[in-house]
Coordinates of all heavy atoms in Angstrom, one line a residue:
R1 N -12.7 -8.7 -5.2 CA -13.2 -8.4 -3.8 C -12.1 -8.8 -2.8 O -11.9 -8.1 -1.9 CB -14.5 -9.2 -3.6 CG -15.1 -8.9 -2.2 CD -16.0 -10.0 -1.7 NE -15.3 -11.2 -1.6 CZ -14.5 -11.5 -0.5 NH1 -14.4 -10.6 0.4 NH2 -14.0 -12.7 -0.4
W2 N -11.6 -10.0 -3.0 CA -10.5 -10.5 -2.1 C -9.3 -9.5 -2.1 O -8.8 -9.2 -1.0 CB -10.0 -11.9 -2.6 CG -8.9 -12.4 -1.7 CD1 -9.0 -13.1 -0.6 CD2 -7.5 -12.2 -2.0 NE1 -7.7 -13.4 -0.1 CE2 -6.8 -12.9 -0.9 CE3 -6.8 -11.6 -3.0 CZ2 -5.4 -12.9 -0.9 CZ3 -5.4 -11.6 -2.9 CH2 -4.7 -12.3 -1.9
A3 N -8.9 -9.0 -3.2 CA -7.8 -8.1 -3.2 C -8.1 -6.8 -2.5 O -7.3 -6.2 -1.8 CB -7.4 -7.8 -4.7
R4 N -9.3 -6.3 -2.6 CA -9.7 -5.1 -1.9 C -9.8 -5.3 -0.4 O -9.5 -4.3 0.4 CB -11.1 -4.6 -2.4 CG -11.2 -4.0 -3.8 CD -12.5 -3.3 -4.0 NE -13.6 -4.2 -3.8 CZ -14.2 -5.0 -4.7 NH1 -13.7 -5.0 -5.9 NH2 -15.3 -5.7 -4.4
E5 N -10.1 -6.5 0.1 CA -10.4 -6.7 1.5 C -9.2 -7.4 2.2 O -9.3 -7.5 3.4 CB -11.6 -7.6 1.6 CG -12.9 -6.8 1.1 CD -14.1 -7.7 1.2 OE1 -14.1 -8.8 1.8 OE2 -15.2 -7.2 0.8
N6 N -8.2 -7.8 1.5 CA -7.1 -8.5 2.2 C -6.2 -7.5 2.9 O -5.6 -6.7 2.2 CB -6.3 -9.4 1.2 CG -5.2 -10.2 1.9 OD1 -4.1 -9.7 2.1 ND2 -5.5 -11.4 2.2
D7 N -6.1 -7.6 4.2 CA -5.4 -6.6 5.0 C -3.9 -6.5 4.6 O -3.3 -5.5 4.6 CB -5.6 -6.8 6.5 CG -7.0 -6.5 6.9 OD1 -7.7 -5.8 6.2 OD2 -7.4 -7.0 7.9
L8 N -3.3 -7.7 4.4 CA -1.8 -7.8 4.2 C -1.5 -7.2 2.8 O -0.5 -6.5 2.7 CB -1.3 -9.2 4.4 CG -1.5 -9.8 5.8 CD1 -1.2 -11.3 5.8 CD2 -0.5 -9.1 6.7
L9 N -2.3 -7.5 1.8 CA -2.1 -7.0 0.5 C -2.3 -5.5 0.5 O -1.5 -4.7 -0.1 CB -3.0 -7.6 -0.5 CG -3.0 -7.1 -1.9 CD1 -1.6 -7.3 -2.5 CD2 -4.1 -7.9 -2.7
Q10 N -3.3 -5.0 1.2 CA -3.6 -3.6 1.2 C -2.5 -2.9 2.0 O -2.1 -1.7 1.7 CB -5.0 -3.4 1.9 CG -6.2 -3.8 1.0 CD -6.3 -2.9 -0.2 OE1 -6.1 -1.6 -0.1 NE2 -6.7 -3.5 -1.3
N11 N -2.0 -3.5 3.0 CA -0.9 -2.9 3.8 C 0.4 -2.6 3.1 O 0.9 -1.6 3.1 CB -0.6 -3.8 5.1 CG 0.3 -3.1 6.1 OD1 0.1 -1.9 6.4 ND2 1.3 -3.8 6.5
K12 N 0.8 -3.6 2.3 CA 2.0 -3.4 1.5 C 1.8 -2.3 0.4 O 2.7 -1.5 0.2 CB 2.6 -4.7 0.9 CG 1.8 -5.4 -0.1 CD 2.6 -6.6 -0.6 CE 1.8 -7.5 -1.5 NZ 2.6 -8.7 -2.0
A13 N 0.6 -2.3 -0.2 CA 0.3 -1.2 -1.1 C 0.3 0.1 -0.4 O 0.8 1.1 -1.0 CB -1.0 -1.5 -1.8
R14 N -0.2 0.2 0.8 CA -0.3 1.4 1.5 C 1.1 1.9 1.9 O 1.4 3.1 1.8 CB -1.2 1.2 2.8 CG -1.6 2.5 3.5 CD -2.6 2.1 4.6 NE -3.8 1.5 4.1 CZ -4.1 0.2 4.4 NH1 -3.3 -0.6 5.1 NH2 -5.3 -0.3 3.9
I15 N 2.0 1.0 2.3 CA 3.3 1.4 2.7 C 4.1 2.1 1.5 O 4.7 3.1 1.6 CB 4.1 0.2 3.2 CG1 3.5 -0.3 4.5 CG2 5.6 0.5 3.4 CD1 4.1 -1.6 5.0
I16 N 4.0 1.4 0.4 CA 4.6 1.9 -0.8 C 4.0 3.2 -1.3 O 4.7 4.2 -1.6 CB 4.6 0.9 -2.0 CG1 5.4 -0.4 -1.6 CG2 5.1 1.5 -3.3 CD1 6.9 -0.2 -1.4
D17 N 2.7 3.3 -1.3 CA 2.0 4.5 -1.8 C 2.2 5.7 -0.9 O 2.3 6.8 -1.4 CB 0.5 4.2 -2.0 CG -0.2 5.2 -2.8 OD1 0.4 5.7 -3.8 OD2 -1.3 5.6 -2.5
E18 N 2.4 5.5 0.4 CA 2.6 6.6 1.3 C 4.0 7.2 0.9 O 4.1 8.5 1.0 CB 2.6 6.1 2.7 CG 2.8 7.2 3.8 CD 1.6 8.1 3.9 OE1 0.5 7.7 3.3 OE2 1.7 9.2 4.5
I19 N 5.0 6.4 0.6 CA 6.3 6.9 0.2 C 6.2 7.7 -1.1 O 6.8 8.7 -1.3 CB 7.3 5.8 0.1 CG1 7.5 5.2 1.5 CG2 8.7 6.3 -0.4 CD1 8.4 3.9 1.5
Y20 N 5.4 7.1 -2.0 CA 5.2 7.8 -3.3 C 4.6 9.2 -3.1 O 4.9 10.2 -3.8 CB 4.3 7.0 -4.2 CG 4.9 5.8 -4.9 CD1 4.2 4.7 -5.3 CD2 6.3 5.7 -5.1 CE1 4.7 3.6 -5.9 CE2 6.9 4.6 -5.7 CZ 6.1 3.6 -6.1 OH 6.7 2.5 -6.7
K21 N 3.8 9.3 -2.1 CA 3.0 10.6 -1.9 C 3.9 11.6 -1.1 O 3.8 12.8 -1.5 CB 1.8 10.3 -1.1 CG 0.7 9.6 -1.9 CD -0.5 9.3 -1.1 CE -1.6 8.6 -1.9 NZ -2.8 8.2 -1.0
I22 N 4.7 11.2 -0.1 CA 5.4 12.2 0.7 C 6.9 12.0 0.8 O 7.6 12.7 1.5 CB 4.8 12.2 2.1 CG1 5.0 10.9 2.8 CG2 3.3 12.5 2.1 CD1 4.6 10.9 4.3
G23 N 7.4 10.9 0.2 CA 8.8 10.6 0.3 C 9.7 11.6 -0.5 O 9.2 12.3 -1.4
T24 N 11.0 11.5 -0.2 CA 12.0 12.3 -1.0 C 12.2 11.5 -2.3 O 11.7 10.4 -2.5 CB 13.3 12.4 -0.3 OG1 13.9 11.0 -0.1 CG2 13.1 13.0 1.1
A25 N 12.9 12.2 -3.2 CA 13.2 11.5 -4.5 C 13.9 10.2 -4.3 O 13.6 9.2 -5.0 CB 14.1 12.5 -5.4
L26 N 14.9 10.1 -3.4 CA 15.6 8.9 -3.2 C 14.7 7.8 -2.6 O 14.7 6.7 -2.9 CB 16.8 9.1 -2.3 CG 18.1 9.7 -2.9 CD1 19.1 10.0 -1.9 CD2 18.6 8.7 -4.0
E27 N 13.9 8.3 -1.6 CA 12.9 7.3 -1.0 C 12.0 6.7 -1.9 O 11.7 5.5 -1.9 CB 12.2 8.0 0.2 CG 13.1 8.3 1.4 CD 12.4 9.2 2.4 OE1 11.4 9.8 2.1 OE2 13.0 9.4 3.5

């Protein structure tokens, strides 16, 4: 539950995942 609700943990996952979804091969 803590992992799901921690904003800072979720934010770094979100930053990385956004690049995985729309980034270039190098990114």
